Amino acid sequence: MVDYADILESIRQEVQPLLTQGKVADYIPPLAEVDPSQFAMAVRLVDGSEYSAGAADHAFSIQSVSKVFRLAQAMDIHGDDLWKRVGREASGTAFNSLLQLEADNGKPRNPMISSGALVVMDAILERGLADPGIVFIARCLDDEAVPFDAGVADAELATTHRNRALAHLLKAYGNLNNDPEAVIAAHTRESAVTLSCVELCRAATFLATRGETAGGQRVLATRQVKRLNAVMLTCGVYDEAGDYAYRVGLPAKSGVGGGVIAVMPGLLTVAVWSPGLNPRGNSLAGTKALELFTTMTGVSVF
Ligand code: GLU
């Protein structure tokens, strides 16, 4: 019998020396102000039991972890047609590369890099909802209100020249149906959603339960959940997917706020947060924590 509470506490202690070694994302100004020495981890089993260590109830900017929910929603709406507009191969280059989008003739390599996520947001905006991404995260939380940090959203909106460049390049290739600025605005708001590790584990539960929320609502078909987990494994952690599969061994999605969500289908979701990032943009202590978690529990898809 795995003692999750004990394991999480051991991990929290073991990663302490790493908390000062990462570098917080500074291209979104408010994220540069976050204290890098913070750490939180939470686990939620599919039977509903929850375990945590550190500041697991502290809400942080989920940033690109939101792309999991965005993709789930687009897969639900568009099914296989979505893949006409975005690929599903590992990128191997920086998450915000313009060069790769140009080389790929305007079809983003996958939905987890910035260009792909913009196409996915464009696809869900067709539903006509004001904040479709945030609305879907709320559904995953059984209709709880989902807060977002307007300061982070506004700061990103004012400085997001690279995403604007990607959106306009997509538009020039005919791979964006909405106005680039509307897509950027929705993208930025959804990225600024704030959730704690405990909430993130709960929101992502559908990935472990073949499509049902903690409260038993179906948000995605079982066959799509399998595919979404596969895309997370191959594309979810920027250009570090191979190393992550090797060290952690779970489908995962990270964000530049320092959060990571990982899933063991059929068993659990695990979320970790530590704002200091490694050179590839993944949480430095968070990655180590997930590696320790799968090593100590023996939980892995491999
Ligand atoms: N909102 C951020 C951006 O688009 C998210 C980046 C990330 O977390 O990878 O640059």
Side-chain angles (χ1 to χ4, degrees):
M1 169 95 183
V2 180
D3 187 339
Y4 287 101
D6 199 50
I7 287 174
L8 292 188
E9 184 50 28
S10 309
I11 293 171
R12 191 191 67 77
Q13 288 174 23
E14 195 165 337
V15 300
Q16 289 304 306
L18 298 179
L19 299 184
T20 48
Q21 292 179 25
K23 192 176 166 309
V24 292
D26 54 9
Y27 74 101
I28 301 174
L31 297 186
E33 310 298 320
V34 177
D35 172 6
S37 68
Q38 301 178 89
F39 178 83
M41 196 165 189
V43 171
R44 184 182 192 283
L45 303 192
V46 294
D47 68 8
S49 47
E50 296 179 341
Y51 306 89
S52 64
D57 290 316
H58 180 87
F60 58 89
S61 190
I62 69 169
Q63 293 298 317
S64 280
V65 177
S66 66
K67 293 183 171 118
V68 171
F69 302 97
R70 189 184 302 187
L71 179 58
Q73 191 178 16
M75 289 170 88
D76 188 40
I77 297 171
H78 295 283
D80 286 345
D81 282 349
L82 183 70
W83 304 112
K84 293 179 185 154
R85 300 180 59 188
V86 58
R88 42 175 193 262
E89 290 296 345
S91 59
T93 54
F95 68 96
N96 52 11
S97 173
L98 282 147
L99 213 57
Q100 186 170 66
L101 182 60
E102 179 80 342
D104 289 346
N105 296 315
K107 182 176 177 181
R109 191 68 62 90
N110 70 61
M112 300 297 184
I113 54 175
S114 303
S115 53
L118 292 170
V119 166
V120 175
M121 179 54 84
D122 185 61
I124 65 176
L125 280 174
E126 286 166 23
R127 276 286 157 107
L129 293 169
D131 264 320
I134 297 180
V135 169
F136 187 80
I137 297 174
R139 268 181 68 205
C140 292
L141 282 167
D142 293 300
D143 305 314
E144 258 175 46
V146 171
F148 80 98
D149 186 329
V152 170
D154 290 348
E156 184 173 357
L157 204 55
T159 54
T160 190
H161 305 299
R162 190 169 267 275
N163 279 343
R164 281 200 173 88
L166 287 168
H168 282 276
L169 193 52
L170 286 164
K171 190 79 178 173
Y173 274 109
N175 199 5
L176 211 66
N177 298 329
N178 294 279
D179 171 33
E181 208 49 45
V183 178
I184 292 287
H187 163 83
T188 311
R189 282 163 71 89
E190 194 202 50
S191 300
V193 161
T194 61
L195 292 175
S196 68
C197 280
V198 170
E199 291 167 327
L200 207 46
C201 275
R202 209 174 305 146
T205 286
F206 74 96
L207 298 170
T209 61
R210 299 169 179 248
E212 287 185 6
T213 63
Q217 290 189 65
R218 177 157 294 280
V219 287
L220 193 61
T222 298
R223 67 182 187 287
Q224 298 291 23
V225 174
K226 181 191 80 172
R227 294 167 177 159
L228 178 50
N229 283 332
V231 173
M232 283 173 70
L233 184 77
T234 51
C235 314
V237 283
Y238 310 118
D239 44 340
E240 202 173 9
D243 202 46
Y244 237 83
Y246 182 88
R247 288 175 59 195
V248 176
L250 293 175
K253 181 73 200 92
S254 58
V256 296
V260 191
I261 182 78
V263 57
M264 178 66 200
L267 183 64
L268 58 80
T269 48
V270 48
V272 63
W273 172 60
S274 177
L277 307 179
N278 68 17
R280 291 250 172 86
N282 290 309
S283 172
L284 188 123
T287 301
K288 183 66 187 174
L290 287 173
E291 180 181 7
L292 289 168
F293 178 76
T294 54
T295 304
M296 292 163 91
T297 57
V299 168
S300 164
V301 295
F302 298 111

